[in-house]
Structure formats: C-alpha cells, structure tokens
Amino acid sequence: MRTRGTIAVAVGSVAALILVGLALLAPMEVRHSAPFGFALTLDRERGIAVRGGFVTPNYPGFNRVDLDLRAYHPEADYDLAVFVRPDRPGASDLRAVPLSLHGERIRHDKAVFADPFVTVRFPPIAESAGSRYYVRVEVGPRNRDDVVSLWSIKSYSGARGVDVLAAFLQTRSGERATPPARAVLLGLFVLFAAAFGWLVAAVTGFALRASGRRFDPPR
Amino acid sequence: MPRIAPRPVAVSAIRRPHSRREGTREESGRGDRAWLGPLLFLFAVKGVLLAAMVGPFTGHDEVDHFFYVARLAEGNGLGVVGEVDLPPEAEPFAAYVADYPTNAEVIHPPLYHALLVPLYAIGSPAGIEDRLLLLRLFSVAAGVGVVWLAASTARLLFPGDVLFRVGVPLFVAFQPQLSFEAAIVNHDVLLILLVSLVLHLTLGGLRDGFPARRQWAIGLVGAAGLWTKASFGLVLPVVGLGLLLVWWDGGGTWRELIRPIGRALGLPLLLVAPWFLRSWLLYGDPTGAARLRLIPEYGDQARSYGEMVSSASFWRQLLEDFWGNFGWRQVPFDPDGFRAVWVVWLVALAGILVGAARRGLPSNRGARRPPQWTVFQRRGVGLLALSVALLCFGVLYVGTIQFTQARFAFPAMIGFATLTLLGVAGWLPVRARPAALPLLVVLLTGLNVVVALRYLLPFYYGPGGGAAILP
C-alpha cells in the first residue's frame, strides 16, 4: 500500500515539474492581440481586397505571419513574396520571404472546414513589441496578370511561457498599483501547479487501486 | 403521501448495476474523495486565475449582466428592454454590448442578478473592476458545483466504472468554454448548475424512485431554473420522461401520476408564471423572444431551421464556439488547435459505435465482452442524451430569433461529457481504463495551459500592450 502511494506521489510530482518546466520554458509561438485573432484587410462591404495590411505585435520576437490569401486559378502555381517593414515613412523591408503555392491551397472559395491561412516564418524581429508593421504580398513575373489578394493576417512572436506570464503579472499588478496583487497572482499560479500535481497523484493512486495492481513486496 | 416508486417486480428490473451494499471502497464513492478534492480545488484555482486573466467586461453579455445586478442593488427595479440604458460607466466597454446603449439582458428573469446583489453591495466601496472580479468569483463557485454534480452523476450511473466516474467530471472541469462561463459574470453559469442539479435529481429518482420530497425538490430547483433563464424549460421533458418511466414500471394509475407531475413540473411553471405574464404584457410573448429579434445585427442573423442544419459553416461555427471562442469570439483557437480538438473528440465519439459493435459481435463473448448495462444505466444515459438533444434544439431555436451560439447547450455539459466518455470506453478495454485516467488529466490540463499561454493571455496582455479593442 505504501509503495502504491509512493508511486502515485512520484508520478504527481514529476507531472507537476514537467508541466511547470514546459509551460515556462518551452519555446512557442504566441498570437498577437487582435480581434478574432487576425488583422482584417478585406473590406467586404465595399468589395475591396488588397495585398497588404498592418499588424501590431504586442510581444518582441515577431517571427511569423499567417496569411489568408485568395487566388482565382486553382490549377495554377503561384510565385509570391512576403515583405515585412515597419510602418514609418521611408522604412525599408526588414524581412522578405519567397513563397511558392499551388492555386488549390489559396483558392478564393476555400472549403468551410479548411484552414484558410498559409503560415510564413522568418527570423525574429527583436524589438517588435508595440510597433506597427506593414505586411504585403507581391506576385512573381509568371503570375503578373493573376489576381491574388490578402484577406486577413495573423501575427505571432516566438516566446516562452515565462514571458507571457510575466507580462500578465506586470500589467495586472501595474493596473491596480498594488504590489500584493502580483504576489497573489503568482501564488495562484504556484497553487495551480501544485493542485495539478496533487490531482495527478490522486488519480494515479485511484487508478492503481482500481486496476488491482499490487506493488507491495510479498510478506 | 403518494409516491412514485417501482413495484417490487419493477425494482428488480431497474436494479442497481453495482449496488452500494455490494460495492468496494471505490464503488461506494468514498474512494472518489481522494481525487475529487484535488479536482475541485484545481478547478477553483483555475477559475480564479481565469477571472483575473479575462479582460474586464469582455465576457459575453457581461456588461449587461453586471449593470443588471447594479440596477437591482441600487433599487432601480427590473426595467424594460428598450427603456433601460446602460450607465455612463459602461461606455468604455460599448464594443462588448449587443445593443448599446440598451441593456438587453433585463429581458431575462432576475434570480441570478438578485443573488449577486449582496456581493455587489459588499464590493461597492471598491472600483468597478474589483466589483466585477468579486461577482466573477460567484461564477467560479457555481462552476465548482457543476463539477461536483458531474462527479456525483457519473458515480450514480456508473458506480463500477472508473473511466466514467473520473472522466466525466474531468471533461466538465477542463472543457475550456465551460471554464470560461464559470469565470465571467453571466447567468448561464447558474443555469448550468441548476440544470445539472435537476438532471442529477431525476437520475436519482430513476434509480431509487421519486418520493414526494424528491418531487418537491425537483419542482423548486425547476422554479429557480426558470427564474434564472427561460431556456431551463428545455430540460423539463427529461424530468417528465424520468417520472413516466418510473411510474410505468410501478404500474400505477393515471391518477397516481398527477401529483408527481404537478409537483415536479407544474410547480415551477406556476411559480414562474408572474414573470412570464409580465414578459407577455411587455413584449408580446412569455420569453420576450420577439423583442430580442429586434436587436440590430443580431436579429438580422436569424435563419430557418433548414438553413442552419444544412449549412456547413453554421456547424463549423458551433463547433468552434463549443470549444474555443472566448469572449464574443474575439479570442479563438487557431485552426490547427480546433482541428486537433475536433479530431480527438470525433474519434472519442466514434467509440460509441465501436462499443456497441463490441457488445454485439458474436465473436466477442465471455471475458472480452464489455460489461452489459442495466436498465437503469441505459435509461440514465438515454435521459442525458435527451438533455443534449433538447439543449441543441434550443441552440437552433435561438438561431431562428437571432444570432445563436453553442454555449446555449452547455447546461447539458454532463450529458456531453457522458457521451464522450461512452465513446472513449468503446475504444478502451475495461482493464486498460484505469491507466487512461492520469493521461486524461495531463491531456486536458495541457489543453487549458496551452490555450491560456498561446491565445488568452497574449490577447489581453503583452509588453507592447494587449487588449487591442479595449480603450
């Protein structure tokens, strides 16, 4: 019985440590703040579609855009280039990414359950937090006469969970101007991790009992 | 005292699958405390964190509900839709109001809002956002109640199957949108709690009979539900069917059915009648649906049942809303996140057919055959499935009036969870089920953590400023 309990506690502790480690330190791509997740560039009411739009990363390390591209020849191959530059007069492009896509992938009438976005990754732009960038798509010579438009843009930064949580703690406690708020929130995160470990341990112990496994040495 | 109860013969037909007398420690439910305590605690901590994370007043209809509470707390009465405007403090959050500056939520019965008046009064010396946070904590507490009822209902139905006993409350506790409901100010969370409670009472009656006390209890919970939101009425047929089944087994006369029906179903309708009458006089129908149809941009989205059911984009939107659209759909999952969840969910649900096949295959006899359900279990799962079907119908019904959302089906979340676990059970041999439980905890917690870190927190907070649509 004691062995079973030990196993459960060990599993719970390891699970909690892994959760905390992955959540805080594993690199991930966080989506920037935008209504419905994207910056809309299509003006549906006026029927205006363009090839560029603005995004505002709220994290440093801007390294990805997801583009909802639309084209009208599903059988064609498209040579495209994606450019990213700061939104200020005279600014030059910071990133340029070539993109080859089959027309089926960016057809204008995408299937209802299809992912409408094409992901484009580029080397991170370090000081991107709070700056506005213009993202545009240009077509290559062989598609010069084809219509390609950009309906919406999602943007992302490479970050770690610890950066995301730190931003939350700073903003939240800053808003309230009460240092204890940060301590309370931090305490809640610690409690969450501890409760997760406790739950995993309890469920593991329960599962071991339910499966009737015996780990005690024979007497 | 009249009582609907199975006759002795019928009792054997609705016998307990694993009676408490025969039960082991786990089967008796006492063993569940070991994991249920941590689960409830984890849910509560997660709820408080969510309440703090989610931007102020960005929950669906949160502005309207908050100022409905404020209105009652300040003694301004119930109000009439179209005549009640939101106060100037709501102006910064106008983007989150369906019919600004009108408070459309005063069309709903006031029980939830009245219950929050004392909390609002306690928090009144504080700022508006602190008061909001305080009211959100009520939703967290209600959510804890829903998870507890999920565990209790699963134990009632499947006392001998650990997968259901643990899996159903886990599903409910970690379903991202239910957790969101349980972290914002909205009467839906109380509705979910009361529907879960009435379903639990009904299933208990299905197993043990419906003594008068249970009938009264169902009636009073039903009245509370109808005074929370008229859509509670959708679950009343489940109660009625439960009563009928037990009455049928008992071989009673029609006369013996009248009082139980009156207590369990007539009482709530009688008690809520003043509110329905008021709505009828003010808006022309008992629920005020006709008035809701007039909300610009929302009423315009009304469609016929046929148009909704035959529209693939409608179903995609419902699926997205069910799992991943936070706060007025402002914070969705990414498409790959949606698809991952849907694939897992659909595979799990497909297990219902697999389980049925495994039971029915002639080659699958003896020890390999999954345990057979008792009549009570079949009926209980049937009633939960009926609750899912009725609440889904409610989603479609709202769609004929105005813009609709999957969250209107959330009061049947225990039914959704049970059906999902039924599917999971279809794939898993009985002996493997305990081993799946810790994995389930890890996967569901992981989903919640990833969603918070990748989407929810970055939407509201960031070094460069978040909450793009907040002032």
PDB file of all heavy atoms in Angstrom, chain A residues 73-95:
ATOM      1  N   HIS A  73      -7.228  30.949 -59.739  1.00  0.00           N
ATOM      2  CA  HIS A  73      -6.894  29.853 -60.656  1.00  0.00           C
ATOM      3  C   HIS A  73      -6.372  28.666 -59.850  1.00  0.00           C
ATOM      4  O   HIS A  73      -5.164  28.542 -59.620  1.00  0.00           O
ATOM      5  CB  HIS A  73      -5.838  30.306 -61.667  1.00  0.00           C
ATOM      6  CG  HIS A  73      -6.320  31.392 -62.571  1.00  0.00           C
ATOM      7  ND1 HIS A  73      -7.365  31.222 -63.462  1.00  0.00           N
ATOM      8  CD2 HIS A  73      -5.924  32.684 -62.715  1.00  0.00           C
ATOM      9  CE1 HIS A  73      -7.587  32.348 -64.115  1.00  0.00           C
ATOM     10  NE2 HIS A  73      -6.727  33.261 -63.675  1.00  0.00           N
ATOM     11  N   PRO A  74      -7.257  27.794 -59.442  1.00  0.00           N
ATOM     12  CA  PRO A  74      -6.845  26.678 -58.571  1.00  0.00           C
ATOM     13  C   PRO A  74      -5.793  25.786 -59.222  1.00  0.00           C
ATOM     14  O   PRO A  74      -5.027  25.120 -58.529  1.00  0.00           O
ATOM     15  CB  PRO A  74      -8.141  25.895 -58.351  1.00  0.00           C
ATOM     16  CG  PRO A  74      -9.240  26.824 -58.699  1.00  0.00           C
ATOM     17  CD  PRO A  74      -8.700  27.780 -59.712  1.00  0.00           C
ATOM     18  N   GLU A  75      -5.760  25.768 -60.551  1.00  0.00           N
ATOM     19  CA  GLU A  75      -4.810  24.868 -61.232  1.00  0.00           C
ATOM     20  C   GLU A  75      -3.433  25.505 -61.397  1.00  0.00           C
ATOM     21  O   GLU A  75      -2.476  24.824 -61.765  1.00  0.00           O
ATOM     22  CB  GLU A  75      -5.382  24.451 -62.597  1.00  0.00           C
ATOM     23  CG  GLU A  75      -5.421  25.542 -63.653  1.00  0.00           C
ATOM     24  CD  GLU A  75      -6.538  26.577 -63.426  1.00  0.00           C
ATOM     25  OE1 GLU A  75      -7.372  26.396 -62.497  1.00  0.00           O
ATOM     26  OE2 GLU A  75      -6.569  27.551 -64.174  1.00  0.00           O
ATOM     27  N   ALA A  76      -3.313  26.796 -61.113  1.00  0.00           N
ATOM     28  CA  ALA A  76      -2.036  27.496 -61.358  1.00  0.00           C
ATOM     29  C   ALA A  76      -1.078  27.344 -60.172  1.00  0.00           C
ATOM     30  O   ALA A  76      -1.486  27.007 -59.058  1.00  0.00           O
ATOM     31  CB  ALA A  76      -2.307  28.976 -61.600  1.00  0.00           C
ATOM     32  N   ASP A  77       0.211  27.564 -60.455  1.00  0.00           N
ATOM     33  CA  ASP A  77       1.214  27.673 -59.387  1.00  0.00           C
ATOM     34  C   ASP A  77       1.540  29.145 -59.199  1.00  0.00           C
ATOM     35  O   ASP A  77       1.676  29.879 -60.181  1.00  0.00           O
ATOM     36  CB  ASP A  77       2.485  26.900 -59.767  1.00  0.00           C
ATOM     37  CG  ASP A  77       2.250  25.410 -59.734  1.00  0.00           C
ATOM     38  OD1 ASP A  77       1.649  24.944 -58.753  1.00  0.00           O
ATOM     39  OD2 ASP A  77       2.626  24.722 -60.709  1.00  0.00           O
ATOM     40  N   TYR A  78       1.683  29.523 -57.966  1.00  0.00           N
ATOM     41  CA  TYR A  78       1.908  30.938 -57.678  1.00  0.00           C
ATOM     42  C   TYR A  78       3.286  31.146 -57.058  1.00  0.00           C
ATOM     43  O   TYR A  78       3.645  30.473 -56.087  1.00  0.00           O
ATOM     44  CB  TYR A  78       0.825  31.467 -56.727  1.00  0.00           C
ATOM     45  CG  TYR A  78      -0.522  31.632 -57.394  1.00  0.00           C
ATOM     46  CD1 TYR A  78      -1.401  30.560 -57.503  1.00  0.00           C
ATOM     47  CD2 TYR A  78      -0.896  32.858 -57.934  1.00  0.00           C
ATOM     48  CE1 TYR A  78      -2.632  30.701 -58.131  1.00  0.00           C
ATOM     49  CE2 TYR A  78      -2.124  33.008 -58.568  1.00  0.00           C
ATOM     50  CZ  TYR A  78      -2.986  31.933 -58.664  1.00  0.00           C
ATOM     51  OH  TYR A  78      -4.200  32.087 -59.288  1.00  0.00           O
ATOM     52  N   ASP A  79       4.017  32.096 -57.616  1.00  0.00           N
ATOM     53  CA  ASP A  79       5.283  32.528 -57.008  1.00  0.00           C
ATOM     54  C   ASP A  79       5.009  33.851 -56.318  1.00  0.00           C
ATOM     55  O   ASP A  79       4.680  34.850 -56.970  1.00  0.00           O
ATOM     56  CB  ASP A  79       6.344  32.750 -58.097  1.00  0.00           C
ATOM     57  CG  ASP A  79       6.623  31.455 -58.843  1.00  0.00           C
ATOM     58  OD1 ASP A  79       6.528  30.392 -58.210  1.00  0.00           O
ATOM     59  OD2 ASP A  79       6.915  31.528 -60.057  1.00  0.00           O
ATOM     60  N   LEU A  80       5.146  33.841 -55.025  1.00  0.00           N
ATOM     61  CA  LEU A  80       4.827  35.036 -54.246  1.00  0.00           C
ATOM     62  C   LEU A  80       6.025  35.423 -53.388  1.00  0.00           C
ATOM     63  O   LEU A  80       6.946  34.620 -53.186  1.00  0.00           O
ATOM     64  CB  LEU A  80       3.624  34.791 -53.326  1.00  0.00           C
ATOM     65  CG  LEU A  80       2.356  34.224 -53.972  1.00  0.00           C
ATOM     66  CD1 LEU A  80       1.331  33.888 -52.898  1.00  0.00           C
ATOM     67  CD2 LEU A  80       1.761  35.214 -54.957  1.00  0.00           C
ATOM     68  N   ALA A  81       5.981  36.638 -52.892  1.00  0.00           N
ATOM     69  CA  ALA A  81       6.985  37.065 -51.913  1.00  0.00           C
ATOM     70  C   ALA A  81       6.277  37.872 -50.828  1.00  0.00           C
ATOM     71  O   ALA A  81       5.400  38.692 -51.131  1.00  0.00           O
ATOM     72  CB  ALA A  81       8.052  37.914 -52.590  1.00  0.00           C
ATOM     73  N   VAL A  82       6.647  37.608 -49.600  1.00  0.00           N
ATOM     74  CA  VAL A  82       6.036  38.308 -48.458  1.00  0.00           C
ATOM     75  C   VAL A  82       7.078  39.259 -47.883  1.00  0.00           C
ATOM     76  O   VAL A  82       8.211  38.849 -47.600  1.00  0.00           O
ATOM     77  CB  VAL A  82       5.581  37.300 -47.377  1.00  0.00           C
ATOM     78  CG1 VAL A  82       4.961  38.033 -46.195  1.00  0.00           C
ATOM     79  CG2 VAL A  82       4.602  36.309 -47.971  1.00  0.00           C
ATOM     80  N   PHE A  83       6.685  40.513 -47.713  1.00  0.00           N
ATOM     81  CA  PHE A  83       7.603  41.524 -47.178  1.00  0.00           C
ATOM     82  C   PHE A  83       7.049  42.092 -45.874  1.00  0.00           C
ATOM     83  O   PHE A  83       5.833  42.293 -45.746  1.00  0.00           O
ATOM     84  CB  PHE A  83       7.775  42.667 -48.185  1.00  0.00           C
ATOM     85  CG  PHE A  83       8.389  42.225 -49.486  1.00  0.00           C
ATOM     86  CD1 PHE A  83       7.590  41.814 -50.550  1.00  0.00           C
ATOM     87  CD2 PHE A  83       9.770  42.188 -49.639  1.00  0.00           C
ATOM     88  CE1 PHE A  83       8.144  41.398 -51.743  1.00  0.00           C
ATOM     89  CE2 PHE A  83      10.345  41.766 -50.842  1.00  0.00           C
ATOM     90  CZ  PHE A  83       9.521  41.363 -51.891  1.00  0.00           C
ATOM     91  N   VAL A  84       7.950  42.334 -44.956  1.00  0.00           N
ATOM     92  CA  VAL A  84       7.556  42.930 -43.669  1.00  0.00           C
ATOM     93  C   VAL A  84       8.432  44.158 -43.440  1.00  0.00           C
ATOM     94  O   VAL A  84       9.670  44.064 -43.497  1.00  0.00           O
ATOM     95  CB  VAL A  84       7.774  41.935 -42.498  1.00  0.00           C
ATOM     96  CG1 VAL A  84       7.364  42.566 -41.177  1.00  0.00           C
ATOM     97  CG2 VAL A  84       7.011  40.648 -42.736  1.00  0.00           C
ATOM     98  N   ARG A  85       7.773  45.298 -43.208  1.00  0.00           N
ATOM     99  CA  ARG A  85       8.567  46.501 -42.909  1.00  0.00           C
ATOM    100  C   ARG A  85       7.860  47.318 -41.827  1.00  0.00           C
ATOM    101  O   ARG A  85       6.626  47.239 -41.682  1.00  0.00           O
ATOM    102  CB  ARG A  85       8.781  47.341 -44.151  1.00  0.00           C
ATOM    103  CG  ARG A  85       7.536  47.987 -44.719  1.00  0.00           C
ATOM    104  CD  ARG A  85       7.919  49.029 -45.768  1.00  0.00           C
ATOM    105  NE  ARG A  85       6.785  49.475 -46.557  1.00  0.00           N
ATOM    106  CZ  ARG A  85       5.879  50.355 -46.132  1.00  0.00           C
ATOM    107  NH1 ARG A  85       5.950  50.853 -44.909  1.00  0.00           N
ATOM    108  NH2 ARG A  85       4.898  50.721 -46.935  1.00  0.00           N
ATOM    109  N   PRO A  86       8.623  48.111 -41.089  1.00  0.00           N
ATOM    110  CA  PRO A  86       7.999  48.959 -40.067  1.00  0.00           C
ATOM    111  C   PRO A  86       7.091  49.984 -40.726  1.00  0.00           C
ATOM    112  O   PRO A  86       7.365  50.437 -41.845  1.00  0.00           O
ATOM    113  CB  PRO A  86       9.189  49.641 -39.379  1.00  0.00           C
ATOM    114  CG  PRO A  86      10.374  48.833 -39.747  1.00  0.00           C
ATOM    115  CD  PRO A  86      10.096  48.222 -41.077  1.00  0.00           C
ATOM    116  N   ASP A  87       6.040  50.349 -40.026  1.00  0.00           N
ATOM    117  CA  ASP A  87       5.097  51.309 -40.571  1.00  0.00           C
ATOM    118  C   ASP A  87       5.575  52.727 -40.239  1.00  0.00           C
ATOM    119  O   ASP A  87       5.055  53.374 -39.327  1.00  0.00           O
ATOM    120  CB  ASP A  87       3.702  51.051 -39.981  1.00  0.00           C
ATOM    121  CG  ASP A  87       2.711  52.086 -40.453  1.00  0.00           C
ATOM    122  OD1 ASP A  87       2.843  52.540 -41.601  1.00  0.00           O
ATOM    123  OD2 ASP A  87       1.825  52.460 -39.658  1.00  0.00           O
ATOM    124  N   ARG A  88       6.587  53.146 -40.983  1.00  0.00           N
ATOM    125  CA  ARG A  88       7.017  54.542 -40.843  1.00  0.00           C
ATOM    126  C   ARG A  88       7.578  54.986 -42.196  1.00  0.00           C
ATOM    127  O   ARG A  88       8.093  54.154 -42.966  1.00  0.00           O
ATOM    128  CB  ARG A  88       8.028  54.716 -39.720  1.00  0.00           C
ATOM    129  CG  ARG A  88       9.277  53.920 -39.839  1.00  0.00           C
ATOM    130  CD  ARG A  88      10.295  54.327 -38.772  1.00  0.00           C
ATOM    131  NE  ARG A  88      11.517  53.593 -38.987  1.00  0.00           N
ATOM    132  CZ  ARG A  88      11.813  52.450 -38.366  1.00  0.00           C
ATOM    133  NH1 ARG A  88      10.991  51.943 -37.479  1.00  0.00           N
ATOM    134  NH2 ARG A  88      12.953  51.835 -38.640  1.00  0.00           N
ATOM    135  N   PRO A  89       7.492  56.254 -42.475  1.00  0.00           N
ATOM    136  CA  PRO A  89       7.900  56.726 -43.797  1.00  0.00           C
ATOM    137  C   PRO A  89       9.353  56.382 -44.086  1.00  0.00           C
ATOM    138  O   PRO A  89      10.219  56.563 -43.223  1.00  0.00           O
ATOM    139  CB  PRO A  89       7.703  58.249 -43.706  1.00  0.00           C
ATOM    140  CG  PRO A  89       6.754  58.449 -42.578  1.00  0.00           C
ATOM    141  CD  PRO A  89       6.966  57.340 -41.629  1.00  0.00           C
ATOM    142  N   GLY A  90       9.589  55.897 -45.262  1.00  0.00           N
ATOM    143  CA  GLY A  90      10.948  55.623 -45.710  1.00  0.00           C
ATOM    144  C   GLY A  90      11.554  54.349 -45.157  1.00  0.00           C
ATOM    145  O   GLY A  90      12.712  54.043 -45.482  1.00  0.00           O
ATOM    146  N   ALA A  91      10.821  53.613 -44.354  1.00  0.00           N
ATOM    147  CA  ALA A  91      11.380  52.385 -43.767  1.00  0.00           C
ATOM    148  C   ALA A  91      11.551  51.330 -44.852  1.00  0.00           C
ATOM    149  O   ALA A  91      10.721  51.201 -45.751  1.00  0.00           O
ATOM    150  CB  ALA A  91      10.466  51.866 -42.665  1.00  0.00           C
ATOM    151  N   SER A  92      12.632  50.613 -44.772  1.00  0.00           N
ATOM    152  CA  SER A  92      12.845  49.554 -45.761  1.00  0.00           C
ATOM    153  C   SER A  92      12.356  48.224 -45.199  1.00  0.00           C
ATOM    154  O   SER A  92      12.124  48.087 -43.996  1.00  0.00           O
ATOM    155  CB  SER A  92      14.328  49.478 -46.119  1.00  0.00           C
ATOM    156  OG  SER A  92      15.068  49.326 -44.937  1.00  0.00           O
ATOM    157  N   ASP A  93      12.256  47.251 -46.091  1.00  0.00           N
ATOM    158  CA  ASP A  93      11.772  45.935 -45.671  1.00  0.00           C
ATOM    159  C   ASP A  93      12.760  45.287 -44.715  1.00  0.00           C
ATOM    160  O   ASP A  93      13.972  45.268 -44.979  1.00  0.00           O
ATOM    161  CB  ASP A  93      11.594  45.039 -46.898  1.00  0.00           C
ATOM    162  CG  ASP A  93      10.437  45.521 -47.763  1.00  0.00           C
ATOM    163  OD1 ASP A  93       9.429  45.984 -47.197  1.00  0.00           O
ATOM    164  OD2 ASP A  93      10.563  45.445 -49.003  1.00  0.00           O
ATOM    165  N   LEU A  94      12.225  44.760 -43.636  1.00  0.00           N
ATOM    166  CA  LEU A  94      13.080  44.049 -42.676  1.00  0.00           C
ATOM    167  C   LEU A  94      13.198  42.570 -43.029  1.00  0.00           C
ATOM    168  O   LEU A  94      14.198  41.927 -42.743  1.00  0.00           O
ATOM    169  CB  LEU A  94      12.510  44.165 -41.261  1.00  0.00           C
ATOM    170  CG  LEU A  94      12.559  45.536 -40.602  1.00  0.00           C
ATOM    171  CD1 LEU A  94      11.941  45.461 -39.216  1.00  0.00           C
ATOM    172  CD2 LEU A  94      13.996  46.022 -40.497  1.00  0.00           C
ATOM    173  N   ARG A  95      12.138  42.047 -43.606  1.00  0.00           N
ATOM    174  CA  ARG A  95      12.136  40.630 -43.961  1.00  0.00           C
ATOM    175  C   ARG A  95      11.495  40.460 -45.337  1.00  0.00           C
ATOM    176  O   ARG A  95      10.513  41.143 -45.653  1.00  0.00           O
ATOM    177  CB  ARG A  95      11.330  39.801 -42.940  1.00  0.00           C
ATOM    178  CG  ARG A  95      11.848  39.868 -41.512  1.00  0.00           C
ATOM    179  CD  ARG A  95      13.157  39.100 -41.358  1.00  0.00           C
ATOM    180  NE  ARG A  95      13.620  39.120 -39.984  1.00  0.00           N
ATOM    181  CZ  ARG A  95      14.459  40.023 -39.462  1.00  0.00           C
ATOM    182  NH1 ARG A  95      14.926  41.002 -40.231  1.00  0.00           N
ATOM    183  NH2 ARG A  95      14.841  39.953 -38.194  1.00  0.00           N
TER     184      ARG A  95
END
